[in-house]
Each structure stands twice: as C-alpha cells, then as structure tokens.
Amino acid sequence: MPYASVYPLLTARAVARPFTYEVPDEVGKGAVVQVRFGSARRRGVVAAVGEAPPDGVRVAAVEKVLGDVPPALVDLALWLADYYGSTPARALELVAPHRPARRKEQTSAAGRHALGGEGRPGALSGPQGSALERIVAGLDAGKAAHFLLYGATGSGKTEVYLRACEETLARGRGAIVLVPEIALTPQALGRFRARFGDGVAVLHSGLTDAERRDERDRIAAGDARLVVGARSAVFAPLADLGLICVDEEHDASYKQESDPRYDARTVAAKRAALEGAVAVYGSATPRPESWARLERLELGGRIAGPLPPVRVIDLRREGGYPLSAPLLEELERLDRGGGKAILLLNRRGVAPALHCRACGVTRRCGNCDVALVLHGDGALRCHHCGQAEAAPRTCPECGSPDLARLGAGTQRLERELERVFPGLERIRLDADAVAKPELLADALRRFEQVDRAVLLGTQMVAKGHHFAGVALAAVVDADTGLAMPDFRAEERTFQLLTQLAGRSGRDAPGRVLIQTFQPDARPIALAARHDVEQFVAGELERRRELGYPPFRHLVRVLVAGPEPDAPMQALAELRDRLDGAEVLGPAPLLRLRGRYRAQLVAKTESPRRVAGPAGRLLAAASPAMRKAGLTAVIDVDPQSL
Ligand SMILES: [Zn+2]
Ligand SMILES: [Zn+2]
C-alpha cells in the first residue's frame, strides 16, 4: 500500500504539520480521509502520496475515505495558511468543510433562493464586445490572466460576466461569480439561472448545513458548473476552473475578519494563477490596488443615458439638517408626482451622542471608548459591544436637565420624514431594522414593488441592489466617514457617494443631492463630478509617497488585554525584534468591550517576511501573554486600521 502525508483537521495552532498514513491505492492528493490521531478520530486531507514512511515509525492506515476535493484546492489552502499566517488545518477546513448527513431530496438551494432574471439581450455594446473578446482570448491562451472590468453603474458589467461564463462553459470549464454580500446573492442568482437554468449552484455562509452539502455535491458531481456566492464560494470544489468574476470588487466585505483572515479577491487571483484561469474584477469605483495592477477593460458610461447630475448642498449655508430646503423640495416633488428616493445616512439610531450643555460631558460606554447612541426606544446603546442603558433625563454628572442630542441617525431621519411627509411610505434599511436576512429581503421586495416610497438607511442602501424608477438619491451627511482614522477613509467615502449616485436615474431622469459641511473635500467634489479617474490618480500619488498599498503591503498586529499598559509594552518588545520592515507604532486604539488595545502596522514588500517572524515571536511569548490575559491578532493586508 502507498503512503500519504495527511493534515489532520485540528484547530490547535501547535499541530501545523502533516503526518504519514498508509492509504488504499486509489487515494490521491485532495482525498478527505478519517484517521486516528492520538486517541481521537479526525478528518484529514491528503496533501501528497507516495512518500516512504519515516524510519522506525509505525505507520497507521487511514480508517476511511470520506470524499475528495480538487487537488488544486489543497495547494490553494496551503498557500493561504502561509500567506495569512494561519495554520494548514484551518485553511484546509475552508476547502474541505465538514459534510453533514444527507437529507431527503428537495429542490436545489439555488432554485429556492433565486429572484427573477431577465432574458438575453440581442447585441452587446461595442465596449462590452471588446471586453468579452479580451476575456475569451485569455481563456483560450491557457494560462492565468487578470482583468479589471471598469464601467459606471448601468454600463453592462453583468452582461459581460454572463457572456464570459457562457464562453467558459462552452469550453467545458467551470466558473465562479462572487458578490460581496449574502443579501446580493438572490438577485445575482436569478440572473444566472435565467440564462443557465439548473446548472447554477449557490454557496455562502447563510445556507443550512444540508443545503451547503447538496450544493457542494452538485458541484463536485459536475451537475452545476457555475457557482454564484459570497466570499466563501471562492473555494467551490469545481474541477477545471476557467473563470472567476469578482463583482463590486471595491467592497471591503471580501475580507474575512476572523482566522484565517483571507481576502477573497487575493485568493481568487491565486486560484486563477494555480489553475490557469481568468479572473475578472468588476466595479464602477475600483480600488486603487486594482487600477494600478490589472489590465483595464473599460465599458465607459451608462448604456441607457448619461449619469445623473449631482448637486452639492453646503450645510454651512443651508439650515434644516438633516433635511435641508433643497432636499425637502425634491422630496415634495416626489410626494406630489410619485417616484422613489434613496436616502443614505451612515449612522444608526436617533442621535449619535447625548451631550450635557451645562458641564460638557458626553455619555460614554463603560466598556468601550465611544459615545453611546440614543435609540428610538429611549435606550442609549453602544454600537461596539451592544451594552444598553436607559437614557437619563438629567445629566448623571451635574444634574442639569439641559441634555442636547447631537447629530442625526437613521431613526431620527425616519421620524422627520414621517412628520413632514406623512403620506410617503418609508422603508428603513439598517442593522436595527433588518436584523435578519428575511427582513432585508422583505424590505427590498417592498421597495421594488411600490411606485412611491423613500428607502432610507446606512451604507446598505448603496450596495449593488438594482431598483427601477429611482428618481432621487441623496446623501444626508457625506462627512460621516471622512473623520475615520484610516488611510482608506477618503476612498470609502468616494466609493459610497459614487455608488449611491449610480442608484438614481437608471431608467428615468434622476437627480442626486449630496449634503456636506466640506463641499471642497476631494472625495466629495470628485464624486459629485463622477470623476473616478482623477480620484484614483490622486489616491495613487498619495499612497506612493506614503508607502501604502498597492506600493507596499501592510501587516497589522493587534494586542488586547485587561490592563491599560500591557498591550503597548508587548508590542514595543515585538517591534524591537522585527527587522527588515518599516514599522509604525505601537499606537493605542479605542478600548473595546472592556479591553485595552494597541496596534503595530508594518509596511513591507513581502508580508510573509513580517507575518512569519511576528507569528513565531508571539507564539514564543504566548505563555507569558496568556498569564497577563493578552490576546494577539496578525492581519495581513488589513482592510481597516
Ligand atoms: Zn452635566
Ligand atoms: Zn461598548
């Protein structure tokens, strides 16, 4: 019998190497097996076959063969573990997840979760045709290729994905289409099923275990050659992958914020490289990283007509916040004549802070260093740890009844709208209003069906949903994101404003309003002109000077603990032992859930050369850190700082 090197799927960091087992003849790389490990039974993944057993070691046989995954996915997982500083077992768990028991026959999850889709349009536009030609040439060249598909909202990116998938399937190869959020899968799924029928599978973390098993089985059996899904679908067990499309590639949701902290966009690029596939990244507001690195396929403006004009309202001159006179005027027009509006206010609750006018103290969370947010039910809530308390009538510090509600949140905006336009239907979309996915789906369906309504909410309203008949898109407070201490704050603001502006007037003349206290700020002024190219050019120039991505990689090390000084000290010691990288910090961060935090940020050409040593140094210090109650996280290519 041959021998195989097998990674047992254990979460413990200490076991990070393969073990040798005897396997049946038919077992190859990618087989999922059951092995004895210590005194327990474990699943394991075969990484290689045919090695001689180590001398003098008694080698056990695997107990059972449970299934297999395409061998290329084993290479992908081992690369991922190394690049993101995770363990092989945790990364292999992503490509070979646990298989729950089979359930009774049902229609496929893809069938049940899909919304409707449109038919195939006759001809492609000129730019669509040229983009497709380049992608097909990439497919036929038989080696990996990476493209940025850049075009305004409504320029026809989805049709290019659909045709590229058609061409891929016609060549007998498989395709994956990623969308940034689970909430966006029903719409995407509907479109692909309208074109490809039951040959489409869906994968995301919102499926039940049984649904996920059925979908994975349909993919593995070759019954579904096209997979639509969120982040985790990048690991779909498709053999002979030809194409990966990453829609809305600028969206930070592609990054997983728990170990393994992978970025599905980077993993897609690696998978394409390993399997000789074509990766297509689409966006109306691409990341500077993609702009600088990828061959650009440009779709240009909207097919249906020009982008809507944007009017910037200077809140330093216009009173009435959150509803300025020009915004009220637009809403009145809607109230009289019908049509739909989308209002973005990227802050939940009634008021983001309760502030005493007498002594100047703002009510803060006892566990986190942030102001408590006043909610409609009369509670003050912490948006970081969830802790709630009843809002006081008088200041707990000085007893004054003069408490001011500073700023506005989505709940306050909803109340104002109700007061001024009682006849206009309001649909609120934020984490409080749509705590469950069904509620979100209901809200979106309602907005789709009515002929006059206001959809108001946080950044959820600006994500890739497509609605007909949106006559007005307005940003109530464009300044909320700009004050964030993150080098991507301007990029995020620009993307959010431009994406929201793109929701208006897709099928009818539309108007866009941006309310701001900083009308001259670069992301606001350029978003108002839909000027993506100038924004990205400026952003790249700034990042080149500062050594930020795409010019260098970032590695972030975060330490948290119960005492104020310990995280800073632990990181200062780590910094002194890290060489070969420019290291910023350590700097203290906001206290969160009662834990003091600090971070180091390294800028480097080679993230592995920082993350590897940092991981080993932290592992060596781990007994002392555990005693002090300290936890550490290494984040390669972090998406927020
Ligand atoms: Zn007071
Ligand atoms: Zn808190």
Side-chain angles (χ1 to χ4, degrees):
M1 275 211 223
Y3 294 95
S5 87
V6 176
Y7 282 95
L9 298 184
L10 302 165
T11 51
R13 271 206 172 262
V15 186
R17 65 175 182 90
F19 294 80
T20 306
Y21 289 88
E22 219 175 77
V23 290
D25 286 331
E26 71 276 13
V27 161
K29 178 175 173 180
V32 183
V33 294
Q34 178 179 300
V35 296
R36 246 306 134 195
F37 188 77
S39 58
R41 280 207 174 98
R42 296 285 179 183
R43 291 189 313 124
V45 175
V46 173
V49 179
E51 292 164 21
D55 284 341
V57 177
R58 206 176 64 88
V59 174
V62 302
E63 293 188 340
K64 223 192 273 181
V65 179
L66 302 169
D68 59 11
V69 297
L73 288 182
V74 175
D75 296 331
L76 185 70
L78 295 178
W79 165 83
L80 189 153
D82 181 42
Y83 184 83
Y84 289 105
S86 188
T87 67
R90 290 182 199 187
L92 285 163
E93 190 77 51
L94 296 169
V95 303
H98 169 70
R99 282 164 63 90
R102 171 157 293 291
R103 56 177 192 153
K104 60 179 193 303
E105 223 44 53
Q106 274 189 7
T107 54
S108 74
R112 269 173 296 120
H113 291 289
L115 292 178
E118 312 90 32
R120 192 176 196 271
L124 294 178
S125 72
Q128 281 177 320
S130 321
L132 183 64
E133 240 169 68
R134 281 295 295 137
I135 294 168
V136 170
L139 271 176
D140 288 338
K143 57 181 205 288
H146 308 264
F147 299 107
L148 172 63
L149 184 63
Y150 163 58
T153 41
S155 61
K157 289 187 287 292
T158 307
E159 188 57 33
V160 176
Y161 303 144
L162 283 160
R163 302 280 178 124
C165 287
E166 214 169 78
E167 298 286 347
T168 306
L169 298 183
R171 285 160 177 74
R173 303 178 73 181
I176 298 174
V177 178
L178 299 180
V179 295
E181 301 250 339
I182 294 175
L184 293 169
T185 52
Q187 207 162 34
L189 202 53
R191 295 200 158 137
F192 282 84
R193 281 179 59 89
R195 201 68 62 85
F196 301 103
D198 289 334
V200 185
V202 62
L203 280 184
H204 57 66
S205 58
L207 300 181
T208 65
D209 285 352
E211 284 177 327
R212 195 169 319 121
R213 176 190 170 123
D214 288 358
E215 292 300 273
R216 287 183 60 87
D217 284 353
R218 293 202 305 127
I219 297 164
D223 295 336
R225 301 287 295 142
L226 205 163
V227 181
V228 174
R231 194 165 64 216
S232 61
V234 75
F235 304 111
L238 277 169
D240 196 8
L241 180 75
L243 176 74
I244 308 184
C245 300
V246 182
D247 193 22
E248 310 285 355
E249 71 92 30
H250 58 275
D251 200 304
S253 316
Y254 281 117
K255 174 88 185 195
Q256 163 134 316
E257 295 297 350
S258 60
D259 187 16
R261 293 170 185 269
Y262 69 88
D263 190 317
R265 297 165 294 197
T266 309
V267 177
K270 183 67 185 179
R271 187 166 180 188
L274 284 170
E275 302 196 40
V278 175
V280 179
Y281 299 82
S283 178
T285 52
R287 292 182 291 166
E289 288 91 327
S290 307
W291 189 272
R293 283 185 193 144
L294 304 179
E295 178 180 340
R296 208 148 59 228
L297 310 175
E298 302 203 8
L299 293 184
R302 274 188 184 170
I303 294 172
L307 286 162
V310 178
R311 182 167 167 203
V312 177
I313 312 295
D314 186 347
L315 290 176
R316 294 170 307 184
R317 302 211 173 97
E318 288 280 351
Y321 177 83
L323 297 172
S324 68
L327 180 51
L328 280 172
E329 209 173 288
E330 292 291 349
L331 288 166
E332 254 159 43
R333 193 187 325 200
L334 217 78
D335 194 32
R336 279 197 313 271
K340 296 182 204 178
I342 301 182
L343 263 52
L344 167 75
L345 176 53
N346 209 4
R347 212 159 26 195
R348 293 182 289 136
V350 173
L354 199 62
H355 178 81
C356 174
R357 285 206 175 97
C359 73
V361 169
T362 296
R363 198 76 192 130
R364 305 179 82 82
C365 175
N367 303 319
C368 316
D369 289 328
V370 294
L372 291 171
V373 177
L374 181 65
H375 277 242
D377 57 3
L380 285 173
R381 288 181 206 283
C382 173
H383 282 189
H384 290 280
C385 72
Q387 176 160 309
E389 61 184 57
R393 306 223 164 155
T394 56
C395 173
E397 302 293 322
C398 74
S400 162
D402 196 6
L403 296 178
R405 301 170 166 197
L406 293 186
T410 46
Q411 292 178 353
R412 156 126 185 253
L413 181 63
E414 187 180 21
R415 282 184 191 172
E416 292 276 318
L417 285 170
E418 186 176 8
R419 192 175 59 78
V420 187
F421 305 105
L424 205 55
E425 181 170 1
R426 298 162 305 275
I427 301 170
R428 206 178 88 220
L429 215 61
D430 60 32
D432 300 310
V434 292
K436 295 188 200 126
E438 308 91 80
L439 293 175
L440 175 61
D442 284 351
L444 295 177
R445 203 169 310 124
R446 204 144 50 92
F447 189 60
E448 184 79 65
Q449 285 159 359
V450 295
D451 63 355
R452 87 173 56 183
V454 178
L455 182 73
L456 66 134
T458 54
Q459 57 179 341
M460 287 167 121
V461 302
K463 298 262 175 169
H465 312 289
H466 299 281
F467 301 111
V470 175
L472 170 69
V475 184
V476 175
D477 183 345
D479 309 313
T480 30
L482 280 181
M484 302 285 280
D486 189 319
F487 77 96
R488 288 195 180 89
E490 300 209 329
E491 180 192 340
R492 294 266 153 78
T493 297
F494 178 81
Q495 285 164 349
L496 193 59
L497 301 186
T498 308
Q499 292 285 339
L500 186 80
R503 303 291 142 218
S504 167
R506 287 175 69 112
D507 45 10
R511 289 175 303 280
V512 181
L513 248 57
I514 296 179
Q515 302 192 137
T516 174
F517 286 97
Q518 313 170 61
D520 302 323
R522 202 170 60 100
I524 294 174
L526 291 175
R529 303 207 308 257
H530 303 283
D531 197 341
V532 174
E533 282 155 55
Q534 198 179 330
F535 178 77
V536 176
E539 203 49 28
L540 282 170
E541 202 175 303
R542 189 173 70 94
R543 293 195 192 178
R544 188 193 300 277
E545 279 165 22
L546 298 172
Y548 280 124
F551 302 100
R552 283 153 103 189
H553 290 266
L554 299 182
V555 178
R556 176 196 200 212
V557 184
L558 191 148
V559 172
E563 304 295 333
D565 299 330
M568 287 290 285
Q569 274 166 15
L571 285 171
E573 281 167 31
L574 178 67
R575 182 198 53 202
D576 293 342
R577 289 180 204 165
L578 280 179
D579 29 47
E582 181 190 344
V583 181
L584 309 176
L589 294 176
L590 293 178
R591 194 164 50 105
L592 212 60
R593 296 184 171 84
R595 297 189 45 90
Y596 294 87
R597 305 181 307 148
Q599 72 175 11
L600 270 187
V601 176
K603 296 176 181 174
T604 174
E605 320 279 320
S606 166
R608 271 182 270 194
R609 259 187 271 151
V610 175
R616 285 189 287 279
L617 288 167
L618 288 170
S622 80
M625 288 182 64
R626 210 172 307 128
K627 208 180 288 169
L630 295 174
T631 49
V633 161
I634 298 175
D635 195 353
V636 175
D637 300 336
Q639 289 304 298
S640 55
L641 288 182

